Amino acid sequence: MLFLRKVRQKSMQKNRFTSYLLYAFGEILLVVLGILIAVQFNNQNNEWKLDRIEELSLIRLSEDLQSDIDRFDFLITRLSERIELCDSTLQLISTQESMGDRLAIIEIHQINSFLVEGNTTTYEEMINTGRLYSMKNQDLRSQIIDYYRTVSRWSKYIEDDYEHLSGLMTHPRYNDYWVIQDQLWGDVKISTIKYPWLLEKYSREMKDIEGLIAQADDIFRSSSGNIAFLKREAEGLLQNLPPSNE
């Protein structure tokens, strides 16, 4: 009997130890599962935040692109006006007969340059923060980079054309042209003694003015075509951006 009692006690002690092990293992398992769930939730939350930041960046990028399109539209309209003015002035030069015609040519024509540049605020921010290179859509990322590189490159071409035009305008041969234009705008009487070529129909000075206006006309037409190209690029990229969920 004593032997059997000892065997039963040992058996009960063994069962309690086994139960304890099972309980401890269960607690450990619950803790591990809790940690894994918390980590998973935190990862999902961080991913949601990153997705939201990217979404907001693309929304601002869309606004910048629309700003570019509006700016390009404005420049194309202004250049069209300048082209029409050049054409009408060149036509007037070809038919001018009197000093009054020649003064009208000098007075009405204005040669302006235009600044062409894209709105790069959001693009530069995305580069500086690394958000651009962490975009999930790599094809869209490439399109964004290509667009802003294209705007930068073509803007430089247009700027070079206007620098060339500015160089022509400041040439000494056109000094009389600008002085007379200022006097006309200021209602100052023009002296034919100082500017006798105004009395001549085919003077060298009028031919120089015709050449300057013709070159300005060519540059305006080239710029208009280049800006129209940039506008199409901006519209294409804007169309490819995901729609806002807001």
Side-chain angles (χ1 to χ4, degrees):
M1 290 291 295
L2 182 60
F3 173 75
L4 292 176
R5 186 179 301 167
K6 290 182 178 180
V7 170
R8 191 175 71 172
Q9 288 177 350
K10 289 182 179 179
S11 177
M12 291 177 62
Q13 291 175 354
K14 184 177 181 182
N15 288 337
R16 284 199 299 269
F17 181 72
T18 302
S19 299
Y20 174 77
L21 286 178
L22 289 174
Y23 176 77
F25 178 77
E27 281 193 335
I28 294 172
L29 182 61
L30 287 175
V31 171
V32 172
L33 287 175
I35 293 173
L36 291 176
I37 292 172
V39 170
Q40 178 66 19
F41 177 79
N42 186 62
N43 289 340
Q44 290 178 346
N45 189 48
N46 288 337
E47 186 174 354
W48 179 86
K49 288 181 179 179
L50 291 174
D51 289 344
R52 181 57 178 163
I53 291 173
E54 180 176 315
E55 180 184 1
L56 292 174
S57 295
L58 292 179
I59 289 173
R60 291 197 298 271
L61 191 68
S62 298
E63 295 171 351
D64 288 354
L65 287 171
Q66 187 58 56
S67 174
D68 285 352
I69 292 170
D70 293 341
R71 172 67 177 168
F72 295 152
D73 269 332
F74 169 78
L75 291 176
I76 290 171
T77 300
R78 294 296 304 275
L79 284 167
S80 295
E81 295 171 355
R82 287 289 172 263
I83 291 169
E84 290 179 5
L85 189 56
C86 283
D87 291 345
S88 62
T89 304
L90 290 171
Q91 179 64 28
L92 186 56
I93 289 176
S94 67
T95 59
Q96 48 96 12
E97 294 290 343
S98 65
M99 174 179 169
D101 291 338
R102 288 181 276 282
L103 289 177
I105 292 168
I106 296 173
E107 183 175 19
I108 65 173
H109 192 72
Q110 301 180 49
I111 300 176
N112 302 95
S113 61
F114 300 92
L115 179 63
V116 182
E117 57 182 11
N119 187 341
T120 62
T121 303
T122 303
Y123 176 67
E124 291 178 354
E125 179 186 338
M126 292 177 70
I127 290 179
N128 294 334
T129 59
R131 294 171 191 161
L132 180 65
Y133 299 102
S134 63
M135 287 180 59
K136 295 180 180 179
N137 190 332
Q138 297 184 7
D139 182 60
L140 180 59
R141 180 184 65 192
S142 297
Q143 292 179 44
I144 293 171
I145 294 173
D146 289 344
Y147 168 74
Y148 283 99
R149 285 179 177 174
T150 298
V151 171
S152 177
R153 183 169 61 253
W154 285 83
S155 296
K156 185 63 170 62
Y157 294 156
I158 296 171
E159 182 182 343
D160 288 345
D161 284 341
Y162 284 126
E163 285 184 1
H164 173 67
L165 181 59
S166 296
L168 291 174
M169 292 165 59
T170 56
H171 193 280
R173 72 163 62 103
Y174 302 115
N175 287 346
D176 287 354
Y177 174 80
W178 303 118
V179 171
I180 294 173
Q181 189 179 78
D182 286 340
Q183 290 178 350
L184 289 171
W185 290 352
D187 292 327
V188 177
K189 185 176 180 180
I190 307 302
S191 171
T192 55
I193 296 177
K194 188 172 183 180
Y195 307 108
W197 55 270
L198 288 172
L199 300 172
E200 303 174 23
K201 183 175 182 179
Y202 298 110
S203 66
R204 176 186 61 80
E205 288 81 0
M206 284 305 300
K207 289 181 179 179
D208 287 342
I209 293 172
E210 182 180 19
L212 176 63
I213 295 172
Q215 291 192 64
D217 185 55
D218 289 341
I219 289 175
F220 291 154
R221 290 179 186 277
S222 175
S223 296
S224 181
N226 292 337
I227 294 172
F229 165 74
L230 293 178
K231 179 189 172 184
R232 290 193 298 271
E233 291 292 301
E235 290 173 336
L237 178 56
L238 181 60
Q239 187 176 4
N240 290 336
L241 292 180
S244 171
N245 294 326
E246 296 187 346

